[in-house]
């Protein structure tokens, strides 16, 4: 399943969280701050759940929760590539904070890889304001409907993968035009000092793992809430 469609949540609130990179304890504290209700609320991640930070090995437990949904980030892709093709790709994952996966007991590692392999490239959420999209980096061609069709048909192009998982142009250029077919698109991938919107694209990576902060964005009232990260686990920021 390359695109996951979530029906409207009429019972509770939907929150989208920026890049976690293993900072699950910070996330737990942030969820407590907002009074997250697992019975009715949903939490959606923009990807890059793992690597570099303290608790990447907990990713499987988080992904098993019925209220937690995530798209695949470039770090999940690197982890999957490393396990599928270690001769070519393991080294790159290790260099990018992926040692935790290689150090896991084999059975746990297999379960973790299976969970990561299930992650869709995009999530589409029905909401009061229309469709809301979530991808890790950006939407190819500013055309959500066309992307959703290719993903539903299981035939994304190499270019789709590249843009969805790796693009930083919209941030570097401070905008890249309106994304058609969604009211709002939420992304992560490129650390910012604070959550920032260009066109109808909200950037939620606020560099938690680099000693910045972790940000949650509420899809019901468009409020954002952040908690500063402790400096003890801060990874050195590199663009990968
Ligand atoms: Mn990323």
């Amino acid at each position: 399943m390359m695109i996951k469609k979530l029906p409207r949540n009429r019972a509770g609130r939907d929150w989208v969280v920026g890049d976690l990179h293993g900072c699950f304890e910070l996330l737990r504290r942030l969820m407590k701050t907002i009074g997250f209700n697992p019975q009715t609320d949903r939490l959606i991640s923009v990807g890059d759940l793992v690597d570099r930070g303290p608790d990447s090995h907990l990713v499987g437990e988080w992904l098993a929760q019925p209220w937690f949904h995530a798209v695949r980030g470039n770090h999940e892709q690197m982890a999957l590539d490393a396990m599928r093709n270690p001769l070519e790709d393991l080294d790159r994952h290790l260099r990018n904070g992926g040692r935790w996966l290689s150090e896991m007991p084999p059975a746990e590692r297999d379960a973790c890889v299976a969970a990561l392999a299930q992650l869709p490239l995009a999530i589409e959420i029905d909401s009061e304001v229309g469709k809301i999209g979530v991808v890790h980096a950006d939407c190819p061609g500013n055309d959500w409907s066309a992307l959703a069709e290719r993903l539903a048909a299981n035939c994304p192009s190499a270019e789709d993968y590249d843009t969805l998982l790796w693009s930083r142009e919209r941030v570097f250029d401070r905008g890249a035009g309106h994304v058609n077919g969604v009211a709002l698109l939420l992304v992560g991938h490129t650390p910012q000092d604070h959550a920032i919107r260009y066109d109808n694209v909200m950037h939620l990576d606020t560099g938690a793992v680099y000693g910045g902060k972790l940000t949650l964005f509420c899809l019901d009232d468009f409020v954002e809430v952040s908690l500063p990260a402790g400096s003890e686990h801060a990874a050195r920021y590199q663009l990968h």
Side-chain angles (χ1 to χ4, degrees), residues 8-156:
R8 197 176 297 196
N9 181 359
R10 296 178 195 276
R13 295 180 297 175
D14 284 349
W15 295 87
V16 184
V17 65
D19 302 37
L20 284 156
H21 286 299
C23 296
F24 291 111
E25 177 57 23
L26 188 60
L27 174 59
R28 204 189 52 74
R29 279 169 42 213
L30 190 47
M31 289 167 69
K32 208 168 168 189
T33 304
I34 59 156
F36 185 86
N37 181 350
Q39 303 300 320
T40 55
D41 297 346
R42 297 185 297 200
L43 180 67
I44 297 127
S45 153
V46 299
D48 279 6
L49 300 142
V50 296
D51 295 349
R52 299 205 174 108
D55 293 319
S56 294
H57 61 284
L58 298 179
V59 67
E61 286 175 37
W62 281 79
L63 288 173
Q65 302 303 318
W67 41 262
F68 190 58
H69 307 270
V71 296
R72 191 187 302 183
N74 58 304
H75 279 266
E76 284 75 51
Q77 189 66 53
M78 280 192 279
L80 291 168
D81 293 346
M83 295 299 120
R84 285 170 187 163
N85 194 359
L87 280 179
E88 282 196 12
D89 295 324
L90 180 58
D91 223 43
R92 177 168 77 150
H93 189 226
L94 293 175
R95 280 200 314 269
N96 283 282
R99 189 160 294 280
W100 63 276
L101 187 59
S102 299
E103 287 172 352
M104 265 182 150
E108 276 177 52
R109 184 173 62 218
D110 290 350
C112 186
V113 170
L116 295 183
Q118 293 296 315
L119 294 179
L121 290 166
I123 291 178
E124 182 181 287
I125 306 152
D126 181 39
S127 86
E128 207 169 287
V129 298
K131 286 178 189 171
I132 292 179
V134 180
V135 298
H136 183 57
D138 207 348
C139 174
N142 282 351
D143 187 344
W144 181 267
S145 309
L147 171 70
E149 270 183 36
R150 291 195 298 279
L151 294 179
N154 242 342
C155 59

